[in-house]
């Protein structure tokens, strides 16, 4: 199973199938679970979407079909009652419970759309994740956490304003997330919650998976090194910081890493 994660770090970005990759990550925590039913569920979603979305040509029509299938027919929705439950970022548990975080639900929407050849991307909005359906000429934004509801321009503007309250400049830019960045976001949700609940070694395990799957993602190497240091594994922390130096060109970060390496000596 770990080999699947390593493979994710080696394949081209465009070769990553988001929901299949997210299942591979989740399976690391459920080694005895039969993946068959979960793959069949994803196939069933695609078949239903092909039927419901037959003839859907515009982004609005395709967005409506996605909502009809994933939210109405299969019951996927945001977990507002227990938002911080780690199960919400574990695709196996998301499928079991039909509840999840914005990023895990967005993975299901985008993957289903792409199986039909529809243009769809996970959209990084400060403090939230949405789905962009359609190409750049006439796209539609939907919110899988709210049952695939359409996000109108004024709604998006409100989200951006809420992300930058006070005197700081307003956030005005949102961007489609590359596939690996989406998976990192999924694991990051779990890692942050693990550390908040005092499970440092669980968080370290998740950051380690991030560095395997996205070896060029510098922040994961930094967090991995930090937790390895807390765990007393100085050699591992130094190795992680050295790996970070290999992937970042940021002069300030490189100076910070070099300083930390100098200070990080075996007891």
């Amino acid at each position: 199973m770990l080999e699947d994660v390593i493979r994710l770090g080696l394949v081209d970005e465009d070769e990553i199938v988001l929901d299949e990759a997210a299942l591979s990550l989740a399976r690391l925590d459920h080694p005895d679970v039969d993946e068959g039913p979960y793959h069949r569920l994803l196939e069933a979603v695609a078949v239903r979407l092909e039927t419901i979305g037959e003839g859907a040509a515009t982004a609005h029509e395709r967005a409506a079909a996605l909502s009809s299938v994933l939210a109405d027919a299969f019951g996927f929705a945001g977990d507002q009652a227990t938002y911080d439950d780690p199960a919400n970022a574990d695709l196996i548990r998301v499928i079991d419970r039909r509840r999840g975080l914005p990023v895990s639900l967005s993975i299901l929407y985008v993957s289903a759309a792409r199986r039909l050849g529809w243009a769809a991307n996970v959209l990084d909005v400060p403090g939230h994740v949405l789905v962009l359906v359609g190409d750049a000429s006439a796209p539609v934004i939907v919110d899988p956490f709210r049952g695939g509801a359409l996000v109108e321009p004024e709604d998006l503007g409100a989200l951006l304003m809420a992300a930058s309250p006070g005197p700081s400049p307003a956030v005005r830019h949102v961007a489609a997330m590359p596939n690996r960045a989406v998976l990192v976001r999924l694991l990051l949700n779990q890692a942050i919650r693990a550390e908040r609940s005092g499970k440092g070694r669980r968080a370290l395990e998740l950051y380690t998976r991030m560095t395997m799957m996205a070896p060029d993602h510098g922040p994961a190497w930094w967090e991995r090194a930090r937790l390895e240091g807390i765990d007393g594994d100085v050699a591992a922390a130094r190795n992680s910081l050295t790996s970070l130096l290999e992937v970042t060109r940021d002069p300030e970060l490189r100076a910070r890493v070099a300083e930390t390496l100098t200070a990080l000596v075996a007891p």
Side-chain angles (χ1 to χ4, degrees), residues 6-221:
I6 296 172
R7 193 175 300 114
L8 280 175
L10 299 174
V11 300
D12 291 339
E13 181 75 31
D14 292 341
E15 293 180 26
I16 297 174
V17 180
L18 276 175
D19 53 5
E20 298 287 351
L23 273 181
S24 295
L25 293 172
R27 189 163 173 251
L28 293 173
D29 296 317
H30 307 280
D32 298 325
V33 167
D34 178 8
E35 275 190 278
Y38 298 93
H39 290 291
R40 288 193 288 274
L41 183 282
L42 298 178
E43 292 170 5
V45 167
V47 169
R48 186 67 173 268
L49 183 61
E50 188 171 23
T51 300
I52 296 294
E54 185 178 6
T58 69
H60 274 89
E61 292 169 341
R62 292 175 176 181
L66 282 164
S67 174
S68 176
V69 171
L70 283 154
D72 298 337
F74 285 87
F76 285 101
D79 185 355
Q80 300 187 45
T82 56
Y83 186 88
D84 286 325
D85 188 333
N88 287 322
D90 174 330
L91 199 63
I92 285 177
R93 299 291 288 119
V94 169
I95 292 173
D96 288 340
R97 300 164 67 244
R98 299 295 198 271
R99 293 292 180 270
L101 290 175
V103 64
S104 53
L105 297 172
S106 293
I107 286 172
L108 293 173
Y109 273 66
V110 166
S111 299
R114 288 176 177 175
R115 279 189 169 83
L116 269 63
W118 296 353
N121 287 285
V122 178
L123 195 62
D124 187 14
V125 178
H128 201 46
V129 175
L130 301 170
V131 167
L132 186 74
V133 180
D135 56 31
S137 61
V140 167
I141 298 175
V142 298
D143 186 350
F145 194 77
R146 295 191 296 123
L150 281 177
V151 179
E152 302 293 349
E154 58 270 22
D155 300 325
L156 183 59
L159 282 171
L160 296 179
M161 289 296 294
S164 55
S168 59
V171 178
R172 299 186 182 279
H173 180 68
V174 295
M177 299 175 71
N179 291 326
R180 277 195 185 84
V182 175
L183 297 172
V184 165
R185 181 77 162 258
L186 187 69
L187 291 179
L188 184 59
N189 274 285
Q190 296 183 58
I192 290 173
R193 285 162 173 76
E195 191 165 9
R196 282 177 182 168
S197 62
K199 300 175 181 176
R201 288 189 175 176
R202 167 63 176 166
L204 173 56
E205 181 180 28
L206 291 160
Y207 282 116
T208 300
R209 292 176 190 176
M210 284 184 225
T211 59
M212 295 168 63
M213 178 198 67
D216 292 335
H217 185 67
W221 284 110

Side-chain angles (χ1 to χ4, degrees), residues 206-254:
L206 291 160
Y207 282 116
T208 300
R209 292 176 190 176
M210 284 184 225
T211 59
M212 295 168 63
M213 178 198 67
D216 292 335
H217 185 67
W221 284 110
W222 179 264
E223 294 300 327
R224 175 176 172 175
R226 178 180 64 82
L227 290 168
E228 287 166 339
I230 291 173
D231 206 32
D233 194 342
V234 173
R238 291 183 63 85
N239 286 338
S240 293
L241 290 172
T242 301
S243 295
L244 175 54
L245 283 176
E246 292 175 358
V247 301
T248 183
R249 302 274 72 87
D250 183 328
E252 291 186 9
L253 180 55
R254 290 180 65 83

